Amino acid sequence: MNTHITSDFTPDALIIGGGIAGLQSALDLADQDLQVLLVERQASIGGHMIALSKVYPTLDCASCITTPKMSAAAHHPNITILTNTEVEGIDTRDGVHRVRLLQKPTYVNFDKCIGCRLCEYACDTEYPDPFEEGLGAVRAIAVPFTNAIPQKAVLNAEVCGTCGACARVCPTGAIEYDQQPRHLTIHTDAVIVASGFNLNAITVKPQYNAQHSQNIISPLTLERLLAPHGPYGRVLRPSDGKMPGSIAFVQCAGSRDESIGVSYCSRVCCMYAIKQAMLLSGALPLADITIYYMDIRAFGKGYEQFFQNAKAMGINFVRGKVARIHPVEDGDLSLHVETTEDAGNPMQERRHDLVVLAQGMIPGWQPSDVTPVACASDGFVATPALTAPAATTVPGIFVAGTAAGPKDIVDTIAEAGAAAMQASQYLYQKRSAVLVG
Amino acid sequence: MAMKTLAPEQKQALAKLRASLGGISEQKRQAQKHLVAARKAILKFLEAKPATVPQIAEALQLPSSEALWHVTGMRKYGKVAEAGEEGDYPLYALVVQQEAAEASH
Ligand SMILES: Cc1cc2nc3c(=O)[nH]c(=O)nc-3n(C[C@H](O)[C@H](O)[C@H](O)COP(=O)(O)OP(=O)(O)OC[C@H]3O[C@@H](n4cnc5c(N)ncnc54)[C@H](O)[C@@H]3O)c2cc1C
Ligand code: SF4
Ligand code: SF4
């Protein structure tokens, strides 16, 4: 994997974000013989998709689809990848984008590290693993996760106790405790913003009391619980390790609500909740699974059938609004539901021992803070041209995937291909104009 | 794995990192002490027999979510393994016990 560059490297295109959108755009550009620099702020490429369990609508294993793309990008001769690197800003002048990067120290020399994990086994400091949404434990120096790319150890200075054990066992002398941050400025003709999404805070609706119960979880946490190599190796609830017997999904728990600043629909929650419910019924055959929803938005190809299959599997769908959630004894949760399905009894109290809140999708990064790229009123990158869906307000800067708005993997990949095509066309036209001029 | 000693420049680099972190805070020291003590106590408790997370939590006077977190870390790094179920909870055993039980089957 090519990770060496200096400021005199001038790639044809720079891609911000190594999620599935950034990876697809990078591969499509690199296959056209263009030089690509892919910049990812985390320690591994793969974005949110590499942490998912299985994906709707096919129920394919997420890492089985993502890992080959990650690996293809890492081995492509035309792609250079910088991980642990943030984009600090972009200045655009005369059609050239000056991209300022900050490469954070990993305290490990990647040229020497062979990914043997001896350092990780020698370290005795552990902290809640961010890859496992805080449920698992990871050591202060570790290869970020099993199929991370690059397979290199990274030291977390915030938790490191500076005992020196890792450097004592490292067979290649890779550990460099005095590594410093590095600033780089890259000049490029085209940029693709593929900075993805985040979920809004699980506590955004105080009436759901998520801060008062560990058994009110994020859907990303449930993805990890369902993943074959998840933190517990099976589905257990975080408060006490119990196998849950009754699980509730509360839909639109962070979207379609003006009062929390997310008036739009996050588009993927209905479908991933249905998927997760199906996977749960496989993992916990005796569990009772209920989805509380306002309306099910199953708009994609084959999605309605997916919804009907879930109903046929015995998943309970209750149309209504969950007004409040309260923690009760034994770590359980009491849900106050206003349902439209039972006219005689519209206000109901239901008990569950695990609750998943469908948080809203929000932008993963705000480029308008540090670049000339404008964002729309929903906070995602604005795409003003109806006929050029990947174009932003700045010529030569394009957008792909959830950086432009909530969408699922199928739409993200299609858009990433479109962004790569628009970027290569732009480069071709720009360079032909220079030749003609 | 034999531990080498650090070369003088590695020692210097480590001191530099420690200084850049403003030294090791008392809070960090205490957290590490607690982690090591809790892990030791769990291993000792499991020497008698496999146990569930609530049983570990009760015996060691730990919040059950914390006991689960320790067990999760110990499972990941090969110290404990699942060993059946009791009621709604998985049982956890020391890896040596678990290996012996599997060998006798
Ligand atoms: C719980 C859940 C389950 C889902 N399940 C499914 C499913 O089953 N099927 C399906 O089709 N879709 C599913 N989705 C949607 C799917 O996750 C997204 O469509 C997809 O991951 C979006 O990819 P992306 O590349 O746009 O964004 P991301 O995966 O968010 O990638 C963006 C990357 O950019 C990096 N980045 C951000 N800012 C910067 C910066 N300034 N500098 C450098 N790097 C930066 C981030 O670290 C990240 O790696 C699910 C979503 C959720 C929340
Ligand atoms: S830093 Fe050293 S010990 Fe750690 S994974 Fe790399 S080569 Fe192995
Ligand atoms: S120096 Fe830090 S990372 Fe290395 S073994 Fe010690 S605590 Fe762990």
PDB file of all heavy atoms in Angstrom, chain A residues 120 124 126 135-137 158 160 162 168 170 214 231 234 239-240 243, chain B residues 4 18 28 32 39 64-65 69 72 75-77 82 85 88-89:
ATOM      1  N   GLU A 120       0.307  -5.385  20.971  1.00  0.00           N
ATOM      2  CA  GLU A 120      -1.049  -5.366  21.526  1.00  0.00           C
ATOM      3  C   GLU A 120      -1.159  -6.372  22.669  1.00  0.00           C
ATOM      4  O   GLU A 120      -1.749  -6.087  23.716  1.00  0.00           O
ATOM      5  CB  GLU A 120      -2.031  -5.690  20.390  1.00  0.00           C
ATOM      6  CG  GLU A 120      -3.488  -5.570  20.761  1.00  0.00           C
ATOM      7  CD  GLU A 120      -4.412  -5.748  19.542  1.00  0.00           C
ATOM      8  OE1 GLU A 120      -3.948  -5.623  18.398  1.00  0.00           O
ATOM      9  OE2 GLU A 120      -5.605  -6.017  19.790  1.00  0.00           O
ATOM     10  N   ASP A 124      -0.972  -3.715  28.710  1.00  0.00           N
ATOM     11  CA  ASP A 124      -2.017  -4.115  29.663  1.00  0.00           C
ATOM     12  C   ASP A 124      -3.025  -2.995  29.930  1.00  0.00           C
ATOM     13  O   ASP A 124      -3.752  -3.021  30.907  1.00  0.00           O
ATOM     14  CB  ASP A 124      -1.412  -4.655  30.976  1.00  0.00           C
ATOM     15  CG  ASP A 124      -0.698  -3.577  31.760  1.00  0.00           C
ATOM     16  OD1 ASP A 124      -0.634  -2.428  31.267  1.00  0.00           O
ATOM     17  OD2 ASP A 124      -0.219  -3.872  32.861  1.00  0.00           O
ATOM     18  N   GLU A 126      -6.378  -1.166  28.674  1.00  0.00           N
ATOM     19  CA  GLU A 126      -7.516  -1.329  27.768  1.00  0.00           C
ATOM     20  C   GLU A 126      -8.512  -0.202  27.954  1.00  0.00           C
ATOM     21  O   GLU A 126      -8.611   0.360  29.042  1.00  0.00           O
ATOM     22  CB  GLU A 126      -8.223  -2.670  28.028  1.00  0.00           C
ATOM     23  CG  GLU A 126      -7.427  -3.842  27.507  1.00  0.00           C
ATOM     24  CD  GLU A 126      -8.085  -5.187  27.767  1.00  0.00           C
ATOM     25  OE1 GLU A 126      -9.319  -5.240  27.922  1.00  0.00           O
ATOM     26  OE2 GLU A 126      -7.343  -6.180  27.810  1.00  0.00           O
ATOM     27  N   LEU A 135     -18.531  -1.080  23.363  1.00  0.00           N
ATOM     28  CA  LEU A 135     -18.905  -2.274  24.143  1.00  0.00           C
ATOM     29  C   LEU A 135     -17.711  -3.187  24.400  1.00  0.00           C
ATOM     30  O   LEU A 135     -17.580  -3.752  25.465  1.00  0.00           O
ATOM     31  CB  LEU A 135     -19.987  -3.072  23.410  1.00  0.00           C
ATOM     32  CG  LEU A 135     -21.327  -2.382  23.229  1.00  0.00           C
ATOM     33  CD1 LEU A 135     -22.337  -3.336  22.627  1.00  0.00           C
ATOM     34  CD2 LEU A 135     -21.852  -1.831  24.546  1.00  0.00           C
ATOM     35  N   GLY A 136     -16.865  -3.351  23.427  1.00  0.00           N
ATOM     36  CA  GLY A 136     -15.712  -4.225  23.599  1.00  0.00           C
ATOM     37  C   GLY A 136     -14.565  -3.468  24.242  1.00  0.00           C
ATOM     38  O   GLY A 136     -14.696  -2.304  24.617  1.00  0.00           O
ATOM     39  N   ALA A 137     -13.444  -4.162  24.366  1.00  0.00           N
ATOM     40  CA  ALA A 137     -12.253  -3.525  24.929  1.00  0.00           C
ATOM     41  C   ALA A 137     -11.134  -3.633  23.907  1.00  0.00           C
ATOM     42  O   ALA A 137     -11.043  -4.606  23.169  1.00  0.00           O
ATOM     43  CB  ALA A 137     -11.858  -4.241  26.213  1.00  0.00           C
ATOM     44  N   GLU A 158      -3.787   9.043  24.276  1.00  0.00           N
ATOM     45  CA  GLU A 158      -4.654   9.506  25.366  1.00  0.00           C
ATOM     46  C   GLU A 158      -4.803   8.468  26.471  1.00  0.00           C
ATOM     47  O   GLU A 158      -5.033   8.816  27.625  1.00  0.00           O
ATOM     48  CB  GLU A 158      -6.045   9.841  24.826  1.00  0.00           C
ATOM     49  CG  GLU A 158      -6.120  11.271  24.346  1.00  0.00           C
ATOM     50  CD  GLU A 158      -7.419  11.566  23.669  1.00  0.00           C
ATOM     51  OE1 GLU A 158      -8.471  11.116  24.161  1.00  0.00           O
ATOM     52  OE2 GLU A 158      -7.374  12.226  22.622  1.00  0.00           O
ATOM     53  N   CYS A 160      -2.506   5.631  26.683  1.00  0.00           N
ATOM     54  CA  CYS A 160      -1.219   4.950  26.918  1.00  0.00           C
ATOM     55  C   CYS A 160      -0.641   5.350  28.274  1.00  0.00           C
ATOM     56  O   CYS A 160      -0.646   6.517  28.647  1.00  0.00           O
ATOM     57  CB  CYS A 160      -0.257   5.325  25.791  1.00  0.00           C
ATOM     58  SG  CYS A 160       1.457   4.901  26.105  1.00  0.00           S
ATOM     59  N   THR A 162       2.511   4.863  28.974  1.00  0.00           N
ATOM     60  CA  THR A 162       3.948   5.046  28.677  1.00  0.00           C
ATOM     61  C   THR A 162       4.846   4.066  29.454  1.00  0.00           C
ATOM     62  O   THR A 162       5.880   4.450  29.980  1.00  0.00           O
ATOM     63  CB  THR A 162       4.414   6.515  28.922  1.00  0.00           C
ATOM     64  OG1 THR A 162       4.296   6.830  30.293  1.00  0.00           O
ATOM     65  CG2 THR A 162       3.639   7.506  28.090  1.00  0.00           C
ATOM     66  N   ARG A 168       9.390  -2.870  23.783  1.00  0.00           N
ATOM     67  CA  ARG A 168      10.287  -3.955  24.200  1.00  0.00           C
ATOM     68  C   ARG A 168      10.005  -5.234  23.432  1.00  0.00           C
ATOM     69  O   ARG A 168      10.907  -6.032  23.201  1.00  0.00           O
ATOM     70  CB  ARG A 168      10.143  -4.207  25.706  1.00  0.00           C
ATOM     71  CG  ARG A 168      11.023  -3.264  26.513  1.00  0.00           C
ATOM     72  CD  ARG A 168      11.069  -3.658  27.975  1.00  0.00           C
ATOM     73  NE  ARG A 168      10.919  -2.456  28.759  1.00  0.00           N
ATOM     74  CZ  ARG A 168       9.854  -2.123  29.455  1.00  0.00           C
ATOM     75  NH1 ARG A 168       8.836  -2.933  29.547  1.00  0.00           N
ATOM     76  NH2 ARG A 168       9.806  -0.995  30.100  1.00  0.00           N
ATOM     77  N   CYS A 170       8.332  -5.380  20.323  1.00  0.00           N
ATOM     78  CA  CYS A 170       8.191  -5.223  18.861  1.00  0.00           C
ATOM     79  C   CYS A 170       9.417  -5.794  18.148  1.00  0.00           C
ATOM     80  O   CYS A 170      10.538  -5.358  18.380  1.00  0.00           O
ATOM     81  CB  CYS A 170       8.001  -3.757  18.492  1.00  0.00           C
ATOM     82  SG  CYS A 170       7.936  -3.533  16.694  1.00  0.00           S
ATOM     83  N   GLN A 214     -28.484   1.698  29.879  1.00  0.00           N
ATOM     84  CA  GLN A 214     -27.533   1.139  28.906  1.00  0.00           C
ATOM     85  C   GLN A 214     -28.239   0.208  27.929  1.00  0.00           C
ATOM     86  O   GLN A 214     -27.628  -0.250  26.963  1.00  0.00           O
ATOM     87  CB  GLN A 214     -26.439   0.373  29.643  1.00  0.00           C
ATOM     88  CG  GLN A 214     -25.504   1.313  30.365  1.00  0.00           C
ATOM     89  CD  GLN A 214     -24.740   0.595  31.464  1.00  0.00           C
ATOM     90  OE1 GLN A 214     -25.303  -0.177  32.236  1.00  0.00           O
ATOM     91  NE2 GLN A 214     -23.455   0.852  31.526  1.00  0.00           N
ATOM     92  N   PRO A 231     -18.547  -7.763  19.783  1.00  0.00           N
ATOM     93  CA  PRO A 231     -17.867  -7.700  21.083  1.00  0.00           C
ATOM     94  C   PRO A 231     -18.158  -8.890  21.998  1.00  0.00           C
ATOM     95  O   PRO A 231     -17.273  -9.347  22.712  1.00  0.00           O
ATOM     96  CB  PRO A 231     -18.425  -6.405  21.689  1.00  0.00           C
ATOM     97  CG  PRO A 231     -19.680  -6.102  20.939  1.00  0.00           C
ATOM     98  CD  PRO A 231     -19.462  -6.651  19.570  1.00  0.00           C
ATOM     99  N   ARG A 234     -22.159 -12.770  20.465  1.00  0.00           N
ATOM    100  CA  ARG A 234     -23.580 -13.079  20.377  1.00  0.00           C
ATOM    101  C   ARG A 234     -24.354 -11.844  20.825  1.00  0.00           C
ATOM    102  O   ARG A 234     -23.740 -10.862  21.257  1.00  0.00           O
ATOM    103  CB  ARG A 234     -23.926 -14.273  21.248  1.00  0.00           C
ATOM    104  CG  ARG A 234     -23.402 -14.099  22.683  1.00  0.00           C
ATOM    105  CD  ARG A 234     -24.218 -14.845  23.668  1.00  0.00           C
ATOM    106  NE  ARG A 234     -23.893 -16.255  23.766  1.00  0.00           N
ATOM    107  CZ  ARG A 234     -24.764 -17.155  24.211  1.00  0.00           C
ATOM    108  NH1 ARG A 234     -25.979 -16.783  24.550  1.00  0.00           N
ATOM    109  NH2 ARG A 234     -24.414 -18.425  24.338  1.00  0.00           N
ATOM    110  N   SER A 239     -26.248  -3.915  29.730  1.00  0.00           N
ATOM    111  CA  SER A 239     -26.258  -3.618  31.167  1.00  0.00           C
ATOM    112  C   SER A 239     -25.780  -4.785  32.005  1.00  0.00           C
ATOM    113  O   SER A 239     -25.166  -4.590  33.052  1.00  0.00           O
ATOM    114  CB  SER A 239     -27.650  -3.198  31.631  1.00  0.00           C
ATOM    115  OG  SER A 239     -28.488  -4.324  31.703  1.00  0.00           O
ATOM    116  N   ASP A 240     -26.061  -6.019  31.559  1.00  0.00           N
ATOM    117  CA  ASP A 240     -25.747  -7.155  32.427  1.00  0.00           C
ATOM    118  C   ASP A 240     -25.439  -8.456  31.693  1.00  0.00           C
ATOM    119  O   ASP A 240     -25.346  -9.507  32.325  1.00  0.00           O
ATOM    120  CB  ASP A 240     -26.912  -7.395  33.406  1.00  0.00           C
ATOM    121  CG  ASP A 240     -28.214  -7.677  32.670  1.00  0.00           C
ATOM    122  OD1 ASP A 240     -28.210  -7.666  31.422  1.00  0.00           O
ATOM    123  OD2 ASP A 240     -29.246  -7.902  33.343  1.00  0.00           O
ATOM    124  N   MET A 243     -29.335 -12.427  27.631  1.00  0.00           N
ATOM    125  CA  MET A 243     -29.834 -12.622  26.266  1.00  0.00           C
ATOM    126  C   MET A 243     -31.221 -12.012  26.229  1.00  0.00           C
ATOM    127  O   MET A 243     -32.109 -12.475  26.952  1.00  0.00           O
ATOM    128  CB  MET A 243     -29.936 -14.111  25.944  1.00  0.00           C
ATOM    129  CG  MET A 243     -28.593 -14.796  25.860  1.00  0.00           C
ATOM    130  SD  MET A 243     -28.798 -16.558  25.606  1.00  0.00           S
ATOM    131  CE  MET A 243     -28.767 -17.177  27.274  1.00  0.00           C
TER     132      MET A 243
ATOM    133  N   LYS B   4      12.860  -7.281  25.645  1.00  0.00           N
ATOM    134  CA  LYS B   4      14.164  -6.630  25.467  1.00  0.00           C
ATOM    135  C   LYS B   4      14.166  -5.394  26.346  1.00  0.00           C
ATOM    136  O   LYS B   4      13.111  -4.938  26.779  1.00  0.00           O
ATOM    137  CB  LYS B   4      14.317  -6.180  24.012  1.00  0.00           C
ATOM    138  CG  LYS B   4      14.383  -7.311  23.012  1.00  0.00           C
ATOM    139  CD  LYS B   4      14.512  -6.793  21.594  1.00  0.00           C
ATOM    140  CE  LYS B   4      13.266  -6.074  21.136  1.00  0.00           C
ATOM    141  NZ  LYS B   4      13.112  -5.839  19.734  1.00  0.00           N
ATOM    142  N   ARG B  18       5.696  11.042  27.323  1.00  0.00           N
ATOM    143  CA  ARG B  18       5.125  11.236  28.675  1.00  0.00           C
ATOM    144  C   ARG B  18       5.019  12.729  28.975  1.00  0.00           C
ATOM    145  O   ARG B  18       3.994  13.197  29.463  1.00  0.00           O
ATOM    146  CB  ARG B  18       5.994  10.534  29.704  1.00  0.00           C
ATOM    147  CG  ARG B  18       5.277  10.280  31.015  1.00  0.00           C
ATOM    148  CD  ARG B  18       6.147   9.472  31.963  1.00  0.00           C
ATOM    149  NE  ARG B  18       6.481   8.157  31.452  1.00  0.00           N
ATOM    150  CZ  ARG B  18       7.693   7.614  31.489  1.00  0.00           C
ATOM    151  NH1 ARG B  18       8.726   8.279  31.988  1.00  0.00           N
ATOM    152  NH2 ARG B  18       7.898   6.405  31.033  1.00  0.00           N
ATOM    153  N   LYS B  28      -5.517   8.583  35.562  1.00  0.00           N
ATOM    154  CA  LYS B  28      -5.110   7.497  34.661  1.00  0.00           C
ATOM    155  C   LYS B  28      -4.488   6.355  35.474  1.00  0.00           C
ATOM    156  O   LYS B  28      -4.783   5.185  35.254  1.00  0.00           O
ATOM    157  CB  LYS B  28      -4.068   8.054  33.684  1.00  0.00           C
ATOM    158  CG  LYS B  28      -4.197   7.562  32.272  1.00  0.00           C
ATOM    159  CD  LYS B  28      -3.203   8.336  31.423  1.00  0.00           C
ATOM    160  CE  LYS B  28      -3.242   8.016  29.982  1.00  0.00           C
ATOM    161  NZ  LYS B  28      -2.305   8.759  29.174  1.00  0.00           N
ATOM    162  N   GLN B  32      -5.994   2.535  35.801  1.00  0.00           N
ATOM    163  CA  GLN B  32      -5.200   1.368  35.440  1.00  0.00           C
ATOM    164  C   GLN B  32      -5.117   0.384  36.619  1.00  0.00           C
ATOM    165  O   GLN B  32      -5.217  -0.830  36.445  1.00  0.00           O
ATOM    166  CB  GLN B  32      -3.796   1.810  34.976  1.00  0.00           C
ATOM    167  CG  GLN B  32      -2.889   0.694  34.486  1.00  0.00           C
ATOM    168  CD  GLN B  32      -3.476  -0.066  33.290  1.00  0.00           C
ATOM    169  OE1 GLN B  32      -4.420   0.401  32.650  1.00  0.00           O
ATOM    170  NE2 GLN B  32      -2.949  -1.249  33.028  1.00  0.00           N
ATOM    171  N   ARG B  39      -9.479  -7.329  36.909  1.00  0.00           N
ATOM    172  CA  ARG B  39      -9.193  -8.494  36.055  1.00  0.00           C
ATOM    173  C   ARG B  39      -8.652  -9.669  36.884  1.00  0.00           C
ATOM    174  O   ARG B  39      -9.039 -10.813  36.684  1.00  0.00           O
ATOM    175  CB  ARG B  39      -8.179  -8.130  34.972  1.00  0.00           C
ATOM    176  CG  ARG B  39      -8.649  -7.068  34.000  1.00  0.00           C
ATOM    177  CD  ARG B  39      -9.698  -7.628  33.072  1.00  0.00           C
ATOM    178  NE  ARG B  39     -10.358  -6.593  32.305  1.00  0.00           N
ATOM    179  CZ  ARG B  39     -10.024  -6.239  31.064  1.00  0.00           C
ATOM    180  NH1 ARG B  39      -9.034  -6.840  30.465  1.00  0.00           N
ATOM    181  NH2 ARG B  39     -10.701  -5.297  30.437  1.00  0.00           N
ATOM    182  N   SER B  64     -22.848  -4.471  37.010  1.00  0.00           N
ATOM    183  CA  SER B  64     -22.855  -5.623  36.095  1.00  0.00           C
ATOM    184  C   SER B  64     -22.363  -5.235  34.699  1.00  0.00           C
ATOM    185  O   SER B  64     -21.737  -6.046  34.015  1.00  0.00           O
ATOM    186  CB  SER B  64     -24.224  -6.288  36.041  1.00  0.00           C
ATOM    187  OG  SER B  64     -25.211  -5.329  35.794  1.00  0.00           O
ATOM    188  N   SER B  65     -22.589  -3.964  34.281  1.00  0.00           N
ATOM    189  CA  SER B  65     -22.105  -3.571  32.947  1.00  0.00           C
ATOM    190  C   SER B  65     -20.573  -3.551  32.936  1.00  0.00           C
ATOM    191  O   SER B  65     -19.947  -3.890  31.934  1.00  0.00           O
ATOM    192  CB  SER B  65     -22.653  -2.205  32.550  1.00  0.00           C
ATOM    193  OG  SER B  65     -22.280  -1.233  33.497  1.00  0.00           O
ATOM    194  N   TRP B  69     -18.020  -5.746  30.692  1.00  0.00           N
ATOM    195  CA  TRP B  69     -16.947  -5.139  29.884  1.00  0.00           C
ATOM    196  C   TRP B  69     -15.610  -5.858  30.134  1.00  0.00           C
ATOM    197  O   TRP B  69     -14.883  -6.179  29.194  1.00  0.00           O
ATOM    198  CB  TRP B  69     -16.840  -3.641  30.196  1.00  0.00           C
ATOM    199  CG  TRP B  69     -15.829  -2.978  29.314  1.00  0.00           C
ATOM    200  CD1 TRP B  69     -15.977  -2.675  27.992  1.00  0.00           C
ATOM    201  CD2 TRP B  69     -14.489  -2.594  29.669  1.00  0.00           C
ATOM    202  NE1 TRP B  69     -14.813  -2.112  27.510  1.00  0.00           N
ATOM    203  CE2 TRP B  69     -13.891  -2.048  28.494  1.00  0.00           C
ATOM    204  CE3 TRP B  69     -13.742  -2.651  30.848  1.00  0.00           C
ATOM    205  CZ2 TRP B  69     -12.582  -1.565  28.485  1.00  0.00           C
ATOM    206  CZ3 TRP B  69     -12.435  -2.174  30.827  1.00  0.00           C
ATOM    207  CH2 TRP B  69     -11.865  -1.633  29.662  1.00  0.00           C
ATOM    208  N   THR B  72     -15.625  -9.175  28.467  1.00  0.00           N
ATOM    209  CA  THR B  72     -15.508  -9.006  27.015  1.00  0.00           C
ATOM    210  C   THR B  72     -14.043  -8.836  26.614  1.00  0.00           C
ATOM    211  O   THR B  72     -13.575  -9.461  25.649  1.00  0.00           O
ATOM    212  CB  THR B  72     -16.333  -7.777  26.580  1.00  0.00           C
ATOM    213  OG1 THR B  72     -17.658  -7.969  27.041  1.00  0.00           O
ATOM    214  CG2 THR B  72     -16.353  -7.615  25.083  1.00  0.00           C
ATOM    215  N   ARG B  75     -12.193 -12.080  27.132  1.00  0.00           N
ATOM    216  CA  ARG B  75     -12.551 -13.051  26.087  1.00  0.00           C
ATOM    217  C   ARG B  75     -11.756 -12.739  24.826  1.00  0.00           C
ATOM    218  O   ARG B  75     -11.152 -13.610  24.217  1.00  0.00           O
ATOM    219  CB  ARG B  75     -14.055 -12.930  25.814  1.00  0.00           C
ATOM    220  CG  ARG B  75     -14.684 -14.153  25.272  1.00  0.00           C
ATOM    221  CD  ARG B  75     -16.162 -13.938  25.024  1.00  0.00           C
ATOM    222  NE  ARG B  75     -16.470 -14.490  23.735  1.00  0.00           N
ATOM    223  CZ  ARG B  75     -16.570 -13.806  22.612  1.00  0.00           C
ATOM    224  NH1 ARG B  75     -16.450 -12.505  22.609  1.00  0.00           N
ATOM    225  NH2 ARG B  75     -16.814 -14.405  21.487  1.00  0.00           N
ATOM    226  N   LYS B  76     -11.732 -11.443  24.478  1.00  0.00           N
ATOM    227  CA  LYS B  76     -11.015 -11.035  23.256  1.00  0.00           C
ATOM    228  C   LYS B  76      -9.544 -11.405  23.331  1.00  0.00           C
ATOM    229  O   LYS B  76      -8.961 -11.842  22.344  1.00  0.00           O
ATOM    230  CB  LYS B  76     -11.173  -9.528  23.078  1.00  0.00           C
ATOM    231  CG  LYS B  76     -10.362  -8.961  21.929  1.00  0.00           C
ATOM    232  CD  LYS B  76     -10.710  -7.517  21.680  1.00  0.00           C
ATOM    233  CE  LYS B  76      -9.813  -6.892  20.634  1.00  0.00           C
ATOM    234  NZ  LYS B  76     -10.173  -5.503  20.376  1.00  0.00           N
ATOM    235  N   TYR B  77      -8.942 -11.214  24.509  1.00  0.00           N
ATOM    236  CA  TYR B  77      -7.498 -11.457  24.610  1.00  0.00           C
ATOM    237  C   TYR B  77      -7.179 -12.837  25.195  1.00  0.00           C
ATOM    238  O   TYR B  77      -6.120 -13.067  25.764  1.00  0.00           O
ATOM    239  CB  TYR B  77      -6.829 -10.309  25.369  1.00  0.00           C
ATOM    240  CG  TYR B  77      -6.835  -9.033  24.530  1.00  0.00           C
ATOM    241  CD1 TYR B  77      -7.663  -7.966  24.839  1.00  0.00           C
ATOM    242  CD2 TYR B  77      -6.031  -8.935  23.387  1.00  0.00           C
ATOM    243  CE1 TYR B  77      -7.687  -6.808  24.050  1.00  0.00           C
ATOM    244  CE2 TYR B  77      -6.047  -7.800  22.586  1.00  0.00           C
ATOM    245  CZ  TYR B  77      -6.872  -6.750  22.916  1.00  0.00           C
ATOM    246  OH  TYR B  77      -6.889  -5.626  22.123  1.00  0.00           O
ATOM    247  N   GLU B  82     -16.614 -18.604  26.658  1.00  0.00           N
ATOM    248  CA  GLU B  82     -17.974 -18.989  27.021  1.00  0.00           C
ATOM    249  C   GLU B  82     -18.009 -20.465  27.361  1.00  0.00           C
ATOM    250  O   GLU B  82     -17.297 -21.266  26.737  1.00  0.00           O
ATOM    251  CB  GLU B  82     -18.879 -18.728  25.822  1.00  0.00           C
ATOM    252  CG  GLU B  82     -19.867 -17.635  26.086  1.00  0.00           C
ATOM    253  CD  GLU B  82     -20.900 -17.542  24.994  1.00  0.00           C
ATOM    254  OE1 GLU B  82     -21.512 -18.566  24.658  1.00  0.00           O
ATOM    255  OE2 GLU B  82     -21.058 -16.421  24.481  1.00  0.00           O
ATOM    256  N   GLU B  85     -24.663 -22.007  29.243  1.00  0.00           N
ATOM    257  CA  GLU B  85     -25.589 -20.948  29.672  1.00  0.00           C
ATOM    258  C   GLU B  85     -26.221 -21.330  30.996  1.00  0.00           C
ATOM    259  O   GLU B  85     -26.278 -22.496  31.347  1.00  0.00           O
ATOM    260  CB  GLU B  85     -26.706 -20.787  28.626  1.00  0.00           C
ATOM    261  CG  GLU B  85     -26.214 -20.261  27.297  1.00  0.00           C
ATOM    262  CD  GLU B  85     -27.288 -20.283  26.201  1.00  0.00           C
ATOM    263  OE1 GLU B  85     -28.430 -20.694  26.486  1.00  0.00           O
ATOM    264  OE2 GLU B  85     -26.963 -19.897  25.065  1.00  0.00           O
ATOM    265  N   ASP B  88     -30.964 -17.026  31.513  1.00  0.00           N
ATOM    266  CA  ASP B  88     -30.857 -16.135  30.345  1.00  0.00           C
ATOM    267  C   ASP B  88     -29.440 -15.632  30.130  1.00  0.00           C
ATOM    268  O   ASP B  88     -29.225 -14.695  29.344  1.00  0.00           O
ATOM    269  CB  ASP B  88     -31.765 -14.902  30.553  1.00  0.00           C
ATOM    270  CG  ASP B  88     -33.230 -15.261  30.468  1.00  0.00           C
ATOM    271  OD1 ASP B  88     -33.541 -16.258  29.808  1.00  0.00           O
ATOM    272  OD2 ASP B  88     -34.067 -14.545  31.070  1.00  0.00           O
ATOM    273  N   TYR B  89     -28.462 -16.194  30.837  1.00  0.00           N
ATOM    274  CA  TYR B  89     -27.103 -15.640  30.783  1.00  0.00           C
ATOM    275  C   TYR B  89     -26.073 -16.670  30.337  1.00  0.00           C
ATOM    276  O   TYR B  89     -26.123 -17.825  30.787  1.00  0.00           O
ATOM    277  CB  TYR B  89     -26.697 -15.124  32.171  1.00  0.00           C
ATOM    278  CG  TYR B  89     -27.556 -13.980  32.643  1.00  0.00           C
ATOM    279  CD1 TYR B  89     -28.737 -14.216  33.340  1.00  0.00           C
ATOM    280  CD2 TYR B  89     -27.184 -12.671  32.377  1.00  0.00           C
ATOM    281  CE1 TYR B  89     -29.546 -13.162  33.752  1.00  0.00           C
ATOM    282  CE2 TYR B  89     -27.980 -11.611  32.791  1.00  0.00           C
ATOM    283  CZ  TYR B  89     -29.166 -11.860  33.478  1.00  0.00           C
ATOM    284  OH  TYR B  89     -29.953 -10.813  33.872  1.00  0.00           O
TER     285      TYR B  89
END
